[in-house]
Amino acid sequence: MRTGVYPGTFDPITVGHMDIIKRALAVVDKLVIAVALDTGKEPVFDLSLRGKLVEEDIQSLGKDAGRVVVKTFSGLLVNFAEENGANILIRGIRAVSDFEYEFQMACMNSRLKPDIETVFLTASENTHFISSRFVKQIARLGGDISSFVSPNVAAHLKAHFKGLN
């Protein structure tokens, strides 16, 4: 069985993330969505809520949702992958600028755990411009984010930013 890990902050999960998740399921038998605590970013949602939102969005996959597990983690990604029996890391690439950083990270991870491979999936042409950072900024300014996130995530963002404005 091929087990992959798709890591990220997922703050929030977007339709771009969901596109990568769906396509990753063509590569692996089981996919662990690893919602990361240690990212150097300051997320809008806490770790628990980010994990819950991912779990809720995964249900839209229908029968494939049973092949996906959502876990939160802290620490080295390669250690998390090994602890979960994964030997494939899934990374989404939106632009050339993403590739340089992701390539360096893949090389470092390979040095740490040579048995774990990194697979890059390029963003689809209709999602390559979507980033959680832009979605949060649009939501904060009261814009329409309905084409970027699920209705559930949109409601959480609206509620979060309503309290701040």
Side-chain angles (χ1 to χ4, degrees), residues 88-165:
I88 300 171
L89 299 177
I90 303 290
R91 299 299 296 175
I93 303 285
R94 288 175 303 192
V96 174
S97 57
D98 287 345
F99 180 75
E100 185 175 347
Y101 172 78
E102 294 293 345
F103 179 74
Q104 290 174 344
M105 190 181 319
C107 290
M108 190 63 78
N109 286 336
S110 179
R111 179 62 66 108
L112 293 170
K113 301 282 184 187
D115 294 338
I116 298 177
E117 291 292 337
T118 299
V119 173
F120 298 115
L121 296 176
T122 56
S124 297
E125 66 181 42
N126 57 344
T127 64
H128 70 90
F129 60 91
I130 300 171
S131 74
S132 294
R133 181 173 48 105
F134 288 151
V135 168
K136 289 183 288 193
Q137 186 174 16
I138 293 166
R140 183 177 55 81
L141 297 171
D144 180 9
I145 57 171
S146 62
S147 64
F148 309 128
V149 296
S150 70
N152 182 43
V153 170
H156 275 86
L157 282 168
K158 184 177 180 180
H160 174 80
F161 288 117
K162 182 179 181 184
L164 299 179
N165 292 331

Side-chain angles (χ1 to χ4, degrees), residues 21-87:
I21 289 166
K22 290 173 191 171
R23 291 175 42 234
L25 287 169
V27 177
V28 299
D29 302 303
K30 176 184 173 186
L31 184 63
V32 179
I33 308 296
V35 182
L37 174 64
D38 305 324
T39 65
K41 299 178 183 177
E42 293 183 28
V44 167
F45 299 131
D46 68 30
L47 184 63
S48 176
L49 180 55
R50 288 184 280 134
K52 179 180 176 234
L53 291 174
V54 173
E55 286 176 345
E56 291 168 352
D57 274 16
I58 292 304
Q59 296 312 305
S60 70
L61 297 174
K63 65 180 173 80
D64 280 336
R67 298 173 45 211
V68 179
V69 177
V70 179
K71 295 185 176 186
T72 59
F73 85 103
S74 177
L76 284 175
L77 174 59
V78 290
N79 291 343
F80 174 84
E82 189 174 63
E83 290 163 8
N84 284 274
N87 60 352

